[in-house]
Every structure is written in structure tokens, then in C-alpha cells.
Amino acid sequence: PEDIADALYKAMKGFGTDEAAVYQNLAQVGSQDAWFSVQDAFRASHGDFSGGDVVAALKDDMSKKEMRRCEEILQGNGIDMYAVRPSSVVEVPESALSATPQVAELEPTPEAVPEDIADALYKAMKGFGTDEAAVYQNLAQVGSQDAWFSV
């Protein structure tokens, strides 16, 4: 898996993409578990490239037609490119699904700068997971409809 992850990275980095190398290396992935291992190896070794997400890297570098070819190659080996590893699925308690965030007490602040709100929203949603409390708090700072067009 590490060799395939490294080869995919090398095929995509820099100017232009070596599509033939991408296809050749994807064809070497023999099972869904092996694909998960390639994803893990890519994340571990190339975390600064497309956030370490090999699927996102492929989407960034390949055309829609080329992505379909990647999907077909993996599907030919019984692999769903977009599958989520079963052990990574997190069970959410029923109580958390019905909980309503407490935002009623938050009032718009006149000193809120749209750029600051936009930056804070980006940071709250960036990466794995979302800081919902920060999202609600920053959205509550937007005082008027005109301010929305600035954010």
C-alpha cells in the first residue's frame, strides 16, 4: 500500500499528471481493504497534498472522464473508491441528533467585521469535523441582511 500511495503521489505532484501511472497503480489495488490501506498510507506520507486524501487528490488532478476511468479500474477489482471503512463510522447517540443548539441568547455585535466572521466560519468547518458552537456563535454576529453579502 505504501508503494502504491507513493506512486500515486508522484504521478500527481507538480505540473501535469501522469495518468498512465495513476491507472497502472490503481490496477494493482486488489481489494477494498487494500484500498483502505492505500488511503491510510497516502494520508500518513502525503498529508500536505490535498489534505492527505487520495480521492480528493485524484479529483483535483483528473478530469471527469479520467476519474470515471479510475473508478472503473477499482470497480473491476471489486473496490468502491468512495467507500468508508466500517470501523470509522461513528455511532451518534439518539439524544445528540435531537439536541437543538442554544443560539437564542447570542446577539449580533456591532464591532463584528465580515472578514473576521468569514475566517472564523472557515476555521470552524475546516478539517475533520465541525465546531458547531463556533459556527452558531459567528453566524449570530451577522446583524443584517447586508452583512451576509459581505461574509
Side-chain angles (χ1 to χ4, degrees):
E2 292 83 8
D3 292 344
I4 294 172
D6 288 342
L8 290 171
Y9 170 75
K10 288 174 186 169
M12 292 184 282
K13 76 173 184 168
F15 186 73
T17 300
D18 184 350
E19 291 85 0
V22 169
Y23 301 145
Q24 180 182 9
N25 282 283
L26 289 177
Q28 293 179 34
V29 182
S31 69
Q32 192 70 53
D33 284 337
W35 176 240
F36 291 143
S37 295
V38 169
Q39 290 176 306
D40 292 342
F42 192 92
R43 187 175 304 106
S45 298
H46 310 291
D48 59 333
F49 191 76
S50 294
D53 184 342
V54 68
V55 174
L58 288 166
K59 284 181 179 180
D60 287 345
D61 278 31
M62 310 291 266
S63 69
K64 288 182 182 183
K65 183 178 178 181
E66 292 165 341
M67 272 306 289
R68 277 194 300 277
R69 175 104 189 265
C70 292
E71 293 165 0
E72 290 168 359
I73 289 168
L74 290 172
Q75 286 170 353
N77 289 342
I79 300 165
D80 178 357
M81 174 184 267
Y82 306 104
V84 176
R85 185 187 315 254
S87 63
S88 66
V89 176
V90 177
E91 291 294 324
V92 178
E94 194 66 35
S95 60
L97 296 175
S98 61
T100 305
Q102 300 297 318
V103 293
E105 73 277 1
L106 299 175
E107 295 293 325
T109 56
E111 67 276 357
V113 178
E115 292 81 9
D116 293 339
I117 295 171
D119 288 343
L121 288 170
Y122 173 78
K123 289 175 185 172
M125 294 181 282
K126 180 182 174 189
F128 184 76
T130 298
D131 182 353
E132 288 87 0
V135 170
Y136 296 131
Q137 186 162 2
N138 283 285
L139 289 177
Q141 292 186 45
V142 180
S144 68
Q145 185 174 357
D146 290 337
W148 275 106
F149 294 109
S150 298
V151 175

